């Protein structure tokens, strides 16, 4: 299929009013499902379930069938199921768990940085608010010293 044909198929899809209305209603959900890890997790769950079912089905067939063609099919089904569900387990340990941890750490770092920015902003506000008061206190102390000197001298 060429790129031009693919483009025409997509534009033909949006000529129907009902399709366009449905897309308008469900666009945020579609964007979220495509951009997030939901598709990956769903694929892993489906792969795990199918693999486990094939593994168990192949094992049961291996125990019950001893004839050559069905025994080979049972062995192949058993091996396929084994490899599929164990592959999903490996993918979870290699891909999913580190990604979840990375997101947790990123959230913690972002929260810490936001807290530091807030504290820095509060300190700046406090410093700005304290400056006039500090100047006034200094000025009053200086005036008291001058009065005390004037009394001593006078």
């Amino acid at each position: 299929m060429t790129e031009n044909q693919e483009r025409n198929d997509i534009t033909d899809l949006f000529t129907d009013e009902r399709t366009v209305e449905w897309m308008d209603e469900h666009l945020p959900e579609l964007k979220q499902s495509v951009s997030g890890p939901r598709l990956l997790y769903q694929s892993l769950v489906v792969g795990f379930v199918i693999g486990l079912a094939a593994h168990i089905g192949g094992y049961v067939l291996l125990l019950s069938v001893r004839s050559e063609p069905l025994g080979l099919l049972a062995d192949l089904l058993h091996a396929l199921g084994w490899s599929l569900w164990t592959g999903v387990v490996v993918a979870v340990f290699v891909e999913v768990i580190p990604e979840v941890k990375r997101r947790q750490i990123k959230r913690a770092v972002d929260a810490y940085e936001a807290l530091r920015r807030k504290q820095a902003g509060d300190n700046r506000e406090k410093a700005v608010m304290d400056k006039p008061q500090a100047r006034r206190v200094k000025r009053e102390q200086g005036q008291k010293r001058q009065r005390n000197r004037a009394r001593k001298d006078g």
Side-chain angles (χ1 to χ4, degrees):
M1 189 188 248
T2 66
E3 187 177 323
N4 195 21
Q5 287 174 335
E6 196 172 302
R7 192 176 299 130
N8 287 338
D9 289 344
I10 291 173
T11 55
D12 290 343
L13 179 68
F14 295 119
T15 56
D16 184 23
E17 256 183 62
R18 288 176 292 170
T19 305
V20 172
E21 288 173 8
W22 187 90
M23 286 294 290
D24 285 339
E25 288 178 22
H26 296 90
L27 192 60
E29 297 164 12
L30 288 170
K31 283 184 177 180
Q32 182 182 6
S33 68
V34 171
S35 66
R38 184 184 302 173
L39 192 60
L40 172 67
Y41 296 160
Q42 288 174 347
S43 301
L44 290 174
V45 167
V46 168
F48 183 79
V49 169
I50 290 173
L52 199 56
H55 182 87
I56 292 170
Y59 183 76
V60 168
L61 278 175
L62 275 174
L63 292 178
S64 64
V65 176
R66 292 288 176 209
S67 64
E68 197 53 39
L70 287 177
L72 177 65
L73 180 65
D75 194 31
L76 288 174
L77 186 63
H78 182 258
L80 173 71
W82 173 264
S83 62
L84 190 58
W85 78 263
T86 55
V88 169
V89 170
V90 169
V92 166
F93 282 110
V94 170
E95 180 70 29
V96 175
I97 292 174
E99 180 64 22
V100 168
K101 283 310 220 182
R102 186 192 65 77
R103 275 195 230 125
Q104 285 176 344
I105 293 169
K106 185 178 183 319
R107 255 185 283 152
V109 168
D110 290 345
Y112 176 76
E113 287 175 343
L115 179 67
R116 296 295 289 184
R117 281 192 299 270
K118 184 178 182 231
Q119 287 176 346
D122 289 348
N123 288 343
R124 270 187 256 130
E125 283 181 17
K126 187 177 179 185
V128 168
M129 297 298 277
D130 288 346
K131 269 187 178 180
Q133 183 179 358
R135 288 180 190 154
R136 185 179 40 119
V137 169
K138 259 187 174 178
R139 188 175 55 239
E140 288 173 358
Q141 287 174 349
Q143 289 172 352
K144 281 182 184 179
R145 277 191 223 121
Q146 285 179 351
R147 275 188 250 138
N148 287 339
R149 282 186 199 146
R151 285 186 195 153
K152 285 183 183 178
D153 290 341

